[in-house]
Amino acid sequence: MTGFTFLPDEQHDLDRGELRELVARIAAEPDRWRSLVCHGGGERHFEQLVRDDHVDVWVISWGTGNDTGFHDHDVSSGAVAVVEGEVVEERLVLDGAPLRLHHRAGEVFDFDAAHVHRMRQDSATPAVTIHVYSPPLWRMGSYAVAPDGALERRSISYAEELRPAEATR
Ligand SMILES: [Fe+2]
């Protein structure tokens, strides 16, 4: 991680425990990422803090109503630290209401590549989250429900902004 000497010189993909530890360490050093926070644009704002062969790190600023839609992270595991405000995470449940978790400032959560979720910011107060992924995000899956009710997955680049996907037909 050239230029980020506070990070270990990892030479392998990180597991969930290592990702949690890393994101907590970054969250505790706001001087490293505070300049990337951007509120007020209406849409979710994301900035890549660093990317190497094994991990990428993002700073995401959330406004009221911002919503990723349901998605997966392809082959990556991840960990998220909430550093300001609160976000809502939902897990899709077939034939039932989504499982809903509230993640508040100071909390960290993690997931592996099997995880399908949606993140939203529903409160009036802006939120900021730090995300680390390993291996680095390259593709993601974005989910939509077609008019006939069938679930569809669309493979998207990590550089495309996640938002609730429209049905494709
Ligand atoms: Fe995600």
Side-chain angles (χ1 to χ4, degrees), residues 60 62 68-73 80 89 109 111 115-119 131 133 137 140 162:
I60 303 186
W62 303 76
T68 63
F70 283 103
H71 63 277
D72 65 52
H73 314 86
V80 177
E89 180 190 29
F109 64 96
F111 46 84
H115 200 75
V116 176
H117 72 176
R118 169 188 196 173
M119 288 182 64
H131 299 232
Y133 301 98
L137 279 182
M140 292 186 288
L162 280 168

Side-chain angles (χ1 to χ4, degrees), residues 78-92:
V80 177
V82 184
V83 293
E84 184 179 311
E86 174 181 331
V87 292
V88 176
E89 180 190 29
E90 290 184 347
R91 302 278 322 257
L92 193 58

Side-chain angles (χ1 to χ4, degrees), residues 11-27:
Q11 296 300 319
H12 59 88
D13 290 345
L14 305 186
D15 65 25
R16 292 170 65 170
E18 291 170 321
L19 286 166
R20 287 184 71 98
E21 188 208 341
L22 174 59
V23 81
R25 193 149 18 102
I26 296 170

Side-chain angles (χ1 to χ4, degrees), residues 81-85 103-108:
V82 184
V83 293
E84 184 179 311
H103 301 293
R104 300 177 176 85
E107 295 181 9
V108 171

Side-chain angles (χ1 to χ4, degrees), residues 5-142:
T5 53
F6 69 111
L7 299 177
D9 186 22
E10 302 290 355
Q11 296 300 319
H12 59 88
D13 290 345
L14 305 186
D15 65 25
R16 292 170 65 170
E18 291 170 321
L19 286 166
R20 287 184 71 98
E21 188 208 341
L22 174 59
V23 81
R25 193 149 18 102
I26 296 170
E29 298 205 37
D31 288 350
R32 304 279 185 174
W33 47 261
R34 178 62 67 190
S35 64
L36 300 179
V37 172
C38 179
H39 288 308
E43 296 294 330
R44 192 168 79 264
H45 183 88
F46 50 99
E47 296 273 359
Q48 187 170 264
L49 181 63
V50 64
R51 182 183 185 95
D52 70 7
D53 290 343
H54 296 288
V55 66
D56 61 343
V57 182
W58 297 81
V59 177
I60 303 186
S61 304
W62 303 76
T64 304
N66 288 172
D67 184 353
T68 63
F70 283 103
H71 63 277
D72 65 52
H73 314 86
D74 202 21
V75 299
S76 299
S77 296
V80 177
V82 184
V83 293
E84 184 179 311
E86 174 181 331
V87 292
V88 176
E89 180 190 29
E90 290 184 347
R91 302 278 322 257
L92 193 58
V93 175
L94 296 182
D95 295 328
L99 298 173
R100 182 172 300 175
L101 294 169
H102 291 258
H103 301 293
R104 300 177 176 85
E107 295 181 9
V108 171
F109 64 96
D110 64 274
F111 46 84
D112 63 19
H115 200 75
V116 176
H117 72 176
R118 169 188 196 173
M119 288 182 64
R120 302 201 323 262
Q121 207 286 76
D122 287 343
S123 70
T125 307
V128 178
T129 50
I130 311 256
H131 299 232
V132 297
Y133 301 98
S134 185
L137 279 182
W138 189 249
R139 307 291 306 177
M140 292 186 288
S142 179

